[in-house]
Amino acid sequence: MNETELITKCLNNDTSAQSRLYSRFAPKMFGVCLRYADDYETAKDYLQEAFISVFTMLHTYSGNGSFEGWIRRIVVNTALQNLRKNSIIDYKYELTDVDFSEFQTEHIIESISAGELVNIIATLPKGFRTVFNLYAIEGYSHKEIAEMLDISEEGSRSQYSRARKSLQKMIAEEYSINV
């Protein structure tokens, strides 16, 4: 069944089509949830809540653009809403607080696998991790991040810069790399 047929059947409350849609997209979207959640159970909660929104808002999908991208946006927004609701993110840093000196990263990146990098990103403080994921992984601009999180663009840039610096330091320490 192609994507258009699947969406149409879901809109007509076909439970087997809804189950197919969930099965098709849930594994990848769970990975998105894990990037924003502190643990597996919280990520499962984010995923469940996001798919409730997907099915509730499916009638608003216009067919323009990637359907997977549309779902991803809902998943990310669901995670962000939960983070804001629980006042977990701290965005108090401003651009002037950041030391922009950079580590040399050529050898660091060659030393680790993608899985190891994901695990290290997961240890970042929630504010750093959220902005890092939104910018580096999801591809949002600092302006979009600022609007989503109700912070300044400078605050977003600062959080991203601090996240990068923290990641570089953690990677260097973990792999005994001289920086």
Side-chain angles (χ1 to χ4, degrees), residues 112-124:
I112 60 173
S113 71
E116 291 168 319
L117 183 58
V118 167
N119 290 336
I120 293 170
I121 290 170
T123 66
L124 286 171

Side-chain angles (χ1 to χ4, degrees), residues 10-179:
C10 287
L11 287 168
N12 290 321
N13 295 318
D14 181 327
T15 56
S16 69
Q18 291 170 340
S19 179
R20 276 184 151 167
L21 187 141
Y22 181 85
S23 295
R24 185 180 293 179
F25 294 102
K28 188 178 277 189
M29 296 304 130
F30 185 66
V32 173
C33 292
L34 280 171
R35 287 199 306 267
Y36 294 94
D38 281 337
D39 55 59
Y40 186 84
E41 291 304 315
T42 302
K44 282 177 31 181
D45 291 344
Y46 290 175
L47 184 69
Q48 180 178 347
E49 191 175 326
F51 269 93
I52 290 169
S53 294
V54 166
F55 290 118
T56 302
M57 297 171 32
L58 191 56
H59 69 280
T60 67
Y61 176 65
S62 66
N64 295 329
S66 160
F67 182 58
E68 182 178 323
W70 182 81
I71 292 173
R72 178 182 294 273
R73 182 174 282 270
I74 290 172
V75 170
V76 168
N77 285 335
T78 299
L80 294 178
Q81 286 170 354
N82 278 288
L83 293 172
R84 279 192 301 265
K85 179 173 61 179
N86 296 318
S87 300
I88 294 174
I89 306 174
D90 180 9
Y91 297 110
K92 65 183 176 197
Y93 301 106
E94 290 299 324
L95 197 58
T96 55
D97 296 331
V98 179
D99 175 7
F100 284 100
S101 62
E102 297 288 335
F103 291 113
Q104 297 298 320
T105 60
E106 303 88 41
H107 303 292
I108 294 175
I109 298 302
E110 296 169 3
S111 303
I112 60 173
S113 71
E116 291 168 319
L117 183 58
V118 167
N119 290 336
I120 293 170
I121 290 170
T123 66
L124 286 171
K126 210 169 275 256
F128 289 3
R129 183 175 69 219
T130 301
V131 172
F132 184 86
N133 283 326
L134 288 170
Y135 186 80
I137 312 279
E138 305 294 342
Y140 289 102
S141 70
H142 287 296
K143 181 177 181 177
E144 292 170 315
I145 295 168
E147 290 170 4
M148 284 190 272
L149 301 177
D150 195 27
I151 61 174
S152 68
E153 281 185 61
E154 293 78 18
S156 176
R157 284 187 183 90
S158 173
Q159 291 284 314
Y160 177 70
S161 177
R162 286 174 171 266
R164 281 190 52 200
K165 187 170 182 164
S166 292
L167 281 173
Q168 290 167 339
K169 183 177 180 187
M170 287 188 287
I171 291 168
E173 289 171 357
E174 178 74 22
Y175 296 93
S176 301
I177 298 170
N178 293 327
V179 290

